């Protein structure tokens, strides 16, 4: 039997094939648990359950207060289970316990609480202007009704398993949809804990289904399944594009949160201490395995050298070590595969630019079997270089010189991505002028990484389609129905009929 089974139609269950796969602790390279390895048959079962729960079950029809209460209880239980969830998140996916407790669990819980509130407070009915056939003629009342979309297929990446699950599950559930959720295969455990919590609070069978297994089978089956009405995906641009293609034949609604190569622009009037810490926070938080990481620093030439040396100095103080130790700043990367990717890009970077710190694995002191890598900075990077254009998703910062704001903006925008960005400056008006010219979905001025459940998050260009979080993220799980209400039942009073009937 697997240590962790899938959750389908209100039951924890093995894969129909009986197969399972191992998930590893990236800090030690040791096996952590066996997880049920789902296939197409399991997706079929899950979609059938979600379909029943949506088409004939209580969830979409439930009183708003009652449904919100269950979503809210999920948030409260997640918060109450902080220790267990945070430990499991770190053991399965790396990162640090500080991040998992202060960031992951808090945000995951907060997103459930916020969407319970949105469901209660946002009206599902909205007035529309009266319809009038011609100016001057009396109008006929119209209104909008928001309704759940149906069965939502949801696929997430490995970098923030709990948070990514909350962004998908909470708005979908609050709005009355049913879901077939697939976590990244290497970090599936906490999503299964969320399924357990959904079960415990009494969310009806079939509303939440979690199918674990490889993207190539389980993910493909979800994205192409005729019983799925919407697909919500977070992951790489490459797979996101594939998801769109898989969803096309049955014209599913699609929202995508994809990759990024975000720029952090530093002006010459900046407080250098702030900029040095800020750019490192923007890049090296969670080893750069964050979609909105600011992995391209675009620095005004007047402060370039000073900032460079300050950043090197500070990067060297980051403590790499046991992710369960509260004193650790950087835990392991998520997997051997991710470590290989980072090593490959660093080799490319050494040819393209000047390596000024890191550039190798972190070893010794219990690190040797884990996937630890030193914070790495490249200087004198050209924005056309591979390390400036491609998403590495690791602790690698590319620093590019700019002569003025206009050039900095041009460099920032010269990317296929448009997810996020930052401006570090003491002059807020100047920073805002820069921010407004950057072609990305989120920009921080003198900050990085802050995302809140009330703030829409989405990508420009190849970083995505649609929005998550905020009211937009709630509406993204609803269809809009326009209802035209003519209360005049006299057949001779309907001028429109004359468009068809000549007499
Ligand atoms: P990935 O695209 O490899 O995988 C994401 C998910 O898709 C996983 O669950 C995977 O199993 C599944 N998958 C893989 N192939 C599939 C296929 N053919 N059909 C259906 N599903 C498939 O991404 P990853 O390596 O897990 O995560 C890193 C990427 O995610 C980065 O590009 C990062 O920028 C992006 N990301 C974006 C956001 C955002 O909000 N924009 C947030 C986090 C991560
Ligand atoms: Mn793992």
């Amino acid at each position: 039997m697997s240590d962790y089974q899938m959750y389908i139609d209100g039951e924890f269950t093995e894969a129909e094939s009986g197969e399972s796969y191992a998930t590893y602790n990236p800090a030690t390279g040791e096996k952590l648990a066996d997880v049920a390895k789902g296939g197409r048959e399991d997706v079929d079962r899950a979609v059938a359950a979600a379909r029943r729960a949506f088409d004939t079950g209580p969830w979409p029809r439930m009183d708003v207060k009652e449904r919100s209460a269950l979503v809210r209880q999920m948030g409260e239980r997640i918060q109450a289970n902080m220790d267990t969830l945070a430990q499991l998140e770190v053991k399965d996916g790396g990162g640090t316990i500080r991040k998992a407790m202060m960031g992951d669990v808090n945000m995951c819980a907060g997103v459930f609480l916020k969407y319970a509130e949105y469901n209660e407070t946002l009206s599902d009915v909205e007035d529309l202007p009266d319809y009038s056939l011609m100016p001057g003629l009396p109008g006929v009342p119209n209104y909008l009704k928001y309704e759940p979309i149906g069965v939502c297929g949801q696929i997430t990446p490995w970098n923030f398993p709990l948070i990514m699950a909350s962004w998908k599950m909470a708005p979908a559930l609050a709005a009355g949809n049913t879901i077939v959720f697939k976590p990244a295969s290497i970090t599936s455990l906490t999503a299964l804990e969320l399924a357990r919590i959904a079960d415990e609070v009494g969310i009806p069978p079939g509303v939440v289904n979690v199918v674990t297994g490889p993207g190539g089978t389980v993910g493909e089956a979800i994205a192409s399944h005729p019983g799925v009405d919407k697909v919500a995906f977070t992951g790489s641009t490459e797979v996101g594009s594939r998801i769109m293609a898989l969803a096309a034949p049955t014209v599913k609604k699609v929202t995508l949160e994809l990759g990024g190569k975000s720029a952090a622009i530093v002006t010459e009037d900046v407080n250098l201490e702030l900029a040095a810490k800020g750019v490192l926070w923007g890049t090296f938080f969670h080893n750069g395995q964050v979609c909105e990481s600011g992995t391209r620093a675009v620095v005004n030439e007047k402060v370039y050298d000073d900032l460079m040396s300050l950043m090197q100095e500070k990067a060297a103080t980051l403590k790499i070590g046991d992710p369960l130790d509260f004193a650790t700043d950087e835990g392991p990367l998520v997997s051997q595969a991710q470590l290989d990717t980072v090593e490959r890009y660093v080799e490319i970077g050494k040819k393209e630019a000047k390596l000024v710190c890191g550039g190798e694995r972190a070893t010794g002191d219990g690190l040797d079997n884990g996937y630890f890598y030193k914070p790495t900075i490249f200087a004198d990077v050209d924005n056309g270089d591979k390390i400036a254009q491609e998403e590495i998703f690791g602790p690698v910062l590319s620093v590019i010189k700019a002569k003025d704001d206009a050039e900095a903006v041009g460099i920032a925008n010269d990317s296929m991505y448009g997810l996020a960005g930052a401006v570090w400056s003491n002059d807020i008006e100047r920073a805002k002028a820069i921010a407004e010219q950057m072609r990305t979905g989120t920009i921080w001025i003198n900050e990085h990484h802050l995302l809140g459940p009330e703030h829409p998050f989405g990508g420009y260009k190849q970083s995505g389609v649609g929005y998550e979080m905020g009211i937009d993220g709630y509406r993204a799980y609803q269809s809009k129905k326009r209802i035209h209400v003519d209360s005049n039942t006299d057949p001779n009073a309907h001028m429109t009929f004359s468009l068809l009937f000549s007499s």
Side-chain angles (χ1 to χ4, degrees), residues 145-258:
K145 173 92 171 53
Y146 290 97
E147 300 183 339
I149 292 173
V151 173
C152 299
Q154 306 184 310
I155 301 171
T156 54
W158 45 255
N159 60 341
F160 289 87
L162 278 170
I163 291 178
M164 293 292 102
S166 71
W167 291 21
K168 297 278 179 286
M169 291 181 176
L173 294 175
N177 300 275
T178 62
I179 65 175
V180 176
F181 179 91
K182 188 200 101 62
S185 48
I186 56 175
T187 58
S188 294
L189 304 188
T190 48
L192 291 168
E193 290 300 325
L194 295 185
R196 187 180 309 284
I197 289 172
D199 193 88
E200 283 167 7
V201 305
I203 293 193
V207 173
V208 175
N209 304 277
V210 177
V211 182
T212 45
T217 49
V218 173
E220 297 247 340
I222 291 173
S224 56
H225 204 292
V228 169
D229 300 299
K230 164 172 174 148
V231 191
F233 171 83
T234 298
S236 59
T237 293
E238 188 186 357
V239 176
S241 157
R242 170 88 185 134
I243 299 276
M244 260 182 143
L246 291 169
T250 47
V251 196
K252 299 183 197 319
K253 314 292 177 253
V254 177
T255 47
L256 305 171
E257 298 284 0
L258 308 176

Side-chain angles (χ1 to χ4, degrees), residues 102-152:
M102 286 163 62
D104 300 326
V105 179
N106 273 331
M107 184 177 211
C108 176
V111 171
F112 277 90
L113 298 177
K114 181 51 71 180
Y115 280 101
E117 181 194 315
Y118 278 148
N119 184 44
E120 255 177 1
T121 56
L122 297 175
S123 176
D124 282 345
V125 176
E126 257 173 35
D127 259 349
L128 284 174
D130 288 358
Y131 184 93
S132 178
L133 205 53
M134 268 182 273
L137 289 182
V140 177
N142 270 235
Y143 69 99
L144 259 187
K145 173 92 171 53
Y146 290 97
E147 300 183 339
I149 292 173
V151 173
C152 299

Side-chain angles (χ1 to χ4, degrees), residues 22-26 32 91-94 185-189 334:
T23 188
Y24 296 88
N25 180 341
L32 181 63
K91 284 182 191 156
D92 200 14
S185 48
I186 56 175
T187 58
S188 294
L189 304 188
V334 71

